[in-house]
């Protein structure tokens, strides 16, 4: 099977490491993050055309700070070091590093010193974005300065013979005026990329991989949720193996209002066949009784789902694989898989799975971000209502009810959430918001209804703007719409007497509350 050309991004803990990967992908090349200490043999193959060393919070002058093997420089592919990455290149190859007298953040003006293929098409004295506390003071042998700033004599370096480049600034951020051009120069001028990373080529690669993996007498089951990720996974499987793919919808009792039937009818309308429908609401709700911890909720739901799912498909012969709509943010947030990062939460389709699984996994979307998934779905002809439905967590409303899960609390949240979404659609705001939902809090507050004192539940509303769910900002919904939503919820949903609006961004908050 043909492989996409790829750029390996060795992550030293930079806040921008995901952004680097995204920028590279947007330019038509597959960018793959790997931990800074990954053995070079792990990515030594013909698909590798270049390496990027990210920035990071450490100082190369500190004992125990992240290092790389010198063998990285013997792979024969171009290397670009950014910020910490540039300092690490200099340090590893015999140059000198000094601490900057005052840490430099933000805007700087670049001045060219030497012609460089990295800076072709970039305007001299353009704006770049700095964020560093150390700087290169002495060049390694064979290197030359290609740019400076007023405060930094060595702002960019190169060794043309070895195709090794370093930038003290960040070309991946929007504040660097010609950052995209610099990355394009590295990819196409220096690494000689073919630009083979497109959604059409991705589909072809995944279809071919699935056909090579799944024998003609074997089948694949998919837990279909109705969300974007599982719908696109279903479309890829359908294209790859047709009726040997078995979609299963498990009604966990944790879905939104009327959602099970909508998923059922929507699937049949597009794919022309029925899915396997399992009503397991009683099982899930009973297992979640008395559970308050969000991580435990996710694990219980993940384990219960596998049990119910396995039982539902046990009568189908030849099932060897379980397909999942896992996407890149799920993997990143569930485990510290790349670089010195921390786990944020367990996703039921990543780290929430039991260790002993009777199926082998197929995850065709696991390297994609949400916006890329939607592009794949559009390429496959999925209807707009499937592609642009707001994201919904695998554990469903269980992680939007803070505290214990009961049928009464589920019904309360379901109706309140439905009103919220209905009003957003009526007002035309739904398509302008990345994700919107309600959260039922384990808090009661005093209120007055019909001249009587009440002591009832508090509901929070959350709406965010994002592109890929890695970062998000709270949506500035019009006040009159929020007022109408609040009034309807309090009037129509028994047990709620107060509505709040979440105005926190990610980071520091996550999009979901649990």
């Amino acid at each position: 099977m043909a492989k996409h050309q790829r750029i390996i991004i060795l992550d030293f803990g930079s806040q921008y490491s995901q952004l680097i990967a995204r920028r590279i992908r947007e330019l038509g090349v597959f960018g793959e993050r790997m931990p800074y200490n990954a053995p070079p043999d792990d990515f030594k193959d013909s698909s590798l055309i270049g390496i990027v060393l990210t920035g990071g919070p450490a100082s190369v002058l500190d004992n125990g700070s992240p290092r790389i093997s010198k063998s990285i420089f013997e792979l024969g592919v171009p290397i670009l070091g950014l910020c910490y990455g540039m300092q690490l290149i200099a340090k590893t190859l015999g140059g000198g590093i000094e601490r900057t007298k005052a840490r430099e953040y933000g805007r700087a003006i670049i001045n060219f010193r030497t012609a460089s293929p990295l800076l072709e098409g970039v305007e001299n004295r353009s704006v770049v974005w700095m964020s560093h506390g150390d700087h290169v003071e002495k060049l390694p042998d064979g290197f030359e300065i290609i740019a400076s700033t007023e405060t930094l004599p060595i702002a960019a370096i190169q060794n043309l013979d070895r195709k090794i480049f370093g930038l003290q600034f960040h070309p991946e951020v929007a504040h660097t005026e010609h950052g995209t051009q610099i990355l394009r120069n590295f990819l196409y001028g220096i690494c000689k990329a073919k630009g083979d990373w497109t959604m059409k080529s991705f589909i072809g690669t995944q279809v071919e991989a699935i056909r090579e993996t799944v024998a003609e007498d074997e089948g694949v089951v998919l837990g279909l949720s109705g969300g974007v990720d599982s719908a696109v996974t279903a479309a890829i499987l359908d294209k790859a193996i047709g009726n040997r793919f078995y979609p299963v919808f498990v009604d966990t009792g944790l879905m939104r209002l009327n959602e099970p039937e909508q998923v059922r009818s929507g699937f049949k309308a597009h794919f022309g066949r029925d899915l396997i429908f399992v009503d397991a609401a009683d099982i899930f709700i009973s297992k979640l009784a008395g559970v308050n911890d969000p991580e435990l909720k996710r694990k219980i739901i993940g384990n219960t789902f596998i049990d119910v799912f396995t039982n539902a498909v046990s009568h189908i012969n030849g099932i060897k694989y379980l397909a999942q709509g896992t996407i890149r943010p799920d993997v990143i947030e569930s485990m510290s898989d790349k670089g010195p990062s921390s786990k944020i939460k367990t996703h039921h389709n990543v780290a929430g799975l039991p260790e002993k699984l009777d199926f082998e996994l197929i995850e065709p979307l696991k390297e994609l971000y949400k916006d890329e998934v939607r592009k794949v779905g559009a390429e496959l002809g999925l209807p707009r209502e499937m592609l642009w439905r707001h994201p919904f967590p695998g554990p469903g409303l269980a992680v939007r009810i803070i505290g214990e899960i009961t049928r009464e609390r589920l019904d309360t949240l379901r109706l309140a959430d439905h009103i919220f979404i209905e009003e957003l659609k009526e007002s035309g705001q739904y398509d302008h918001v990345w994700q919107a939902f309600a959260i039922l809090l384990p808090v009661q507050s005093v209120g007055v209804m019909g001249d009587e004192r009440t002591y009832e539940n508090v509901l929070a509303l959350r709406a965010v703007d994002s592109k890929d769910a890695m970062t998000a900002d709270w949506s500035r919904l019009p006040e009159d719409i929020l007022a109408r939503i609040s009034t309807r919820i309090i009037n129509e949903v028994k047990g709620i007497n107060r509505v709040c609006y979440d105005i926190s961004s990610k980071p520091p908050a996550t999009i979901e509350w649990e």
Side-chain angles (χ1 to χ4, degrees), residues 420-451:
F420 186 21
I421 300 303
E422 184 176 66
E423 286 293 335
L424 290 179
K425 289 180 177 179
E426 288 278 334
S427 64
Q429 292 290 326
Y430 183 82
D431 288 342
H432 299 295
V433 171
W434 166 268
Q435 187 174 3
F437 55 93
I439 310 100
L440 188 61
L441 306 183
V443 176
Q444 291 181 306
S445 70
V446 174
V448 177
M449 291 182 174
D451 296 327

Side-chain angles (χ1 to χ4, degrees), residues 284-303:
F284 280 87
I285 293 171
S286 65
K287 285 184 176 291
L288 289 167
V291 178
N292 291 285
D293 180 76
E295 280 295 286
L296 184 55
K297 284 182 190 177
R298 289 176 179 272
K299 290 185 181 297
I300 288 172
I301 292 167
N303 289 335

Side-chain angles (χ1 to χ4, degrees), residues 98-103 133 135:
E98 282 189 352
R99 296 196 190 278
T100 304
K101 292 180 180 178
R103 293 179 67 86
H135 65 272

